[in-house]
Amino acid sequence: MHRRTFLAATAVAAAACARSRGVIPAAGPQRGIGFDGYRADTTQADFEAIRDLGATHVALFPYGRMPSHMEPRVDRYRGPDVDWSLTDDGLLALGAMARRAGLRVLLLPTLADFVDGHWRGEVRMSDEASWEQWFASYRAFLLHYADLAARMRAAGLSVGTELRQTAPLEARWRDTIALVRERFDGWLTYAANWDDYDRVPWWDALDFIGVQAYFELGEPERLDQLVAAWEPIRVRLDEVSTATGRRVIFTEIGYKSHRGETVHPWKWEIEGEQDLELQRLAYEAAFQTFWHQPWFAGFYWWKWRPGASSDPGYERDFTPQEKPAEAVIRRYYSSG
């Protein structure tokens, strides 16, 4: 959709939605952490450590799968060999631990990348009948987690993650969101990819604009250069927020601690020499750019996990734990 057409259309839709249903209010940005609970030895202390950062929210990630990116079937991970945190019992236990630590939960159901090598943003069907099948299957998957989110008393739920090819199917998404609202009364978002969040025509049906914020910032050497790289992105996010009447949440944002990471933050392969200072600067630049914007609703930093420092690849992976970036989170999250 052309940029001006998108802005005009979404402004009209947002105005109509505001007349029928108020946007869920939120005082100040959510102080979120994405939590990796795959280890069976996750304990209450892990969530207390997140709380002690000053965090208010934690994101949990149930995963689904498809046989291939063009097959209209979505399955939950089930069976005796599935990681504990992907089971309903595991997710409910993690949610209970988070609540006991005083944290609110965002549940982010996500389709894993597929065995045929494709990314979830490449899901596409060959004809209308296949799309109808896909949405029926996806809704069953999503409504299961809407029910689970209600059981765990989650604060929020994402209706999808990075499903780029599905976004133009507006009527099907609006029907899907309406069904979710019948099962879950918390706030809703959708986790759009960093390069297509401004092409989602149904933001007005949700409560927040969710963005997987792995924006490409180049290879700066100083903090001011990183902040400058964020500026056109900040302006565009502001425009979309104004047009839709919805605040923006970074449902994921993060940087690995290695050289060159800000060039393509979305690339998961560990590469380059360790660079803790670049990771710290990237965190600082994001906070400086967005933390005090009135339309910005919070960060969910990718990713915190139990026992991270003992894991292979820790020195250069995404976690900020026991790295200088952790102090940046603590400083902003603990401030007023």
Side-chain angles (χ1 to χ4, degrees):
M1 184 181 292
H2 189 275
R3 172 175 170 175
R4 290 184 179 176
T5 303
F6 169 83
L7 292 175
T10 50
V12 171
C17 185
R19 289 192 293 271
S20 63
R21 182 180 61 82
V23 177
I24 293 178
Q30 297 174 26
R31 295 161 161 83
I33 295 290
F35 185 77
D36 186 341
Y38 296 158
R39 293 173 64 124
D41 58 354
T42 300
T43 68
Q44 186 66 42
D46 294 309
F47 288 94
E48 290 170 358
I50 293 172
R51 176 201 62 201
D52 292 346
L53 284 174
T56 57
H57 290 70
V58 64
L60 302 177
F61 303 89
Y63 281 89
R65 58 187 171 187
M66 291 171 57
S68 78
H69 74 295
M70 293 189 68
E71 192 164 336
R73 194 178 89 226
V74 178
D75 297 314
R76 289 187 288 122
Y77 280 89
R78 288 182 279 189
D81 297 326
V82 171
D83 285 329
W84 174 73
S85 70
L86 296 181
T87 67
D88 290 356
D89 287 345
L91 286 163
L92 289 168
L94 293 171
M97 285 187 237
R99 289 198 311 277
R100 284 196 295 271
L103 298 165
R104 283 158 279 183
V105 173
L106 166 61
L107 201 63
L108 276 152
T110 301
L111 298 186
D113 290 343
F114 312 121
V115 293
D116 62 2
H118 287 269
W119 165 58
R120 53 189 158 266
E122 297 173 293
V123 168
R124 57 170 59 85
M125 298 296 123
S126 58
D127 52 41
E128 282 299 306
S130 296
W131 272 123
E132 194 64 35
Q133 284 182 271
W134 186 87
F135 267 94
S137 186
Y138 183 78
R139 284 170 184 156
F141 164 79
L142 178 60
L143 291 174
H144 174 82
Y145 289 112
D147 290 339
L148 196 73
R151 288 175 62 191
M152 70 165 54
R153 291 178 282 160
L157 173 70
S158 173
V159 300
T161 302
E162 300 171 3
L163 295 169
R164 170 182 294 166
Q165 301 298 328
T166 74
L169 302 172
E170 182 174 355
R172 288 189 172 105
W173 270 113
R174 290 185 182 276
D175 290 345
T176 300
I177 293 163
L179 290 171
V180 171
R181 288 202 183 276
E182 292 176 3
R183 316 282 275 268
F184 177 68
D185 61 4
W187 53 263
L188 299 181
T189 189
Y190 164 72
N193 206 48
W194 61 274
D195 59 352
D196 64 14
Y197 67 89
D198 55 356
R199 297 194 294 275
V200 176
W202 30 273
W203 283 127
D204 62 286
L206 300 170
D207 302 300
F208 294 101
I209 295 168
V211 181
Q212 305 285 84
Y214 297 105
F215 293 93
E216 297 173 347
L217 304 175
E219 197 165 10
E221 297 179 357
R222 303 189 311 270
L223 177 61
D224 63 317
Q225 292 172 324
L226 271 170
V227 172
W230 270 117
E231 183 57 16
I233 301 165
R234 182 197 65 78
V235 170
R236 181 65 181 136
L237 286 162
D238 190 351
E239 289 175 345
V240 175
S241 177
T242 299
T244 59
R246 297 295 182 266
R247 298 172 72 204
V248 175
I249 291 175
F250 285 173
T251 43
E252 280 185 31
I253 181 172
Y255 303 92
K256 293 179 289 184
S257 50
H258 69 71
R259 189 169 300 171
E261 167 62 3
T262 53
V263 177
H264 300 294
W266 49 271
K267 286 190 174 180
W268 296 84
E269 304 87 354
I270 293 180
E271 54 186 321
E273 296 179 15
Q274 184 185 45
D275 193 336
L276 296 173
E277 176 63 4
L278 178 61
Q279 185 188 46
R280 184 191 73 80
L281 289 175
Y283 274 61
E284 180 68 38
F287 273 112
Q288 285 193 19
T289 301
F290 295 104
W291 194 238
H292 297 295
Q293 297 296 325
W295 48 265
F296 186 69
F299 293 105
Y300 285 83
W301 289 99
W302 184 275
K303 197 171 194 186
W304 192 280
R305 62 180 186 269
S309 61
S310 63
D311 288 346
Y314 159 78
E315 293 83 2
R316 294 179 291 171
D317 72 6
F318 276 95
T319 182
Q321 291 161 262
E322 301 178 35
K323 298 176 182 177
E326 180 180 333
V328 179
I329 298 176
R330 190 180 306 276
R331 175 158 47 85
Y332 280 92
Y333 278 11
S334 298
S335 65

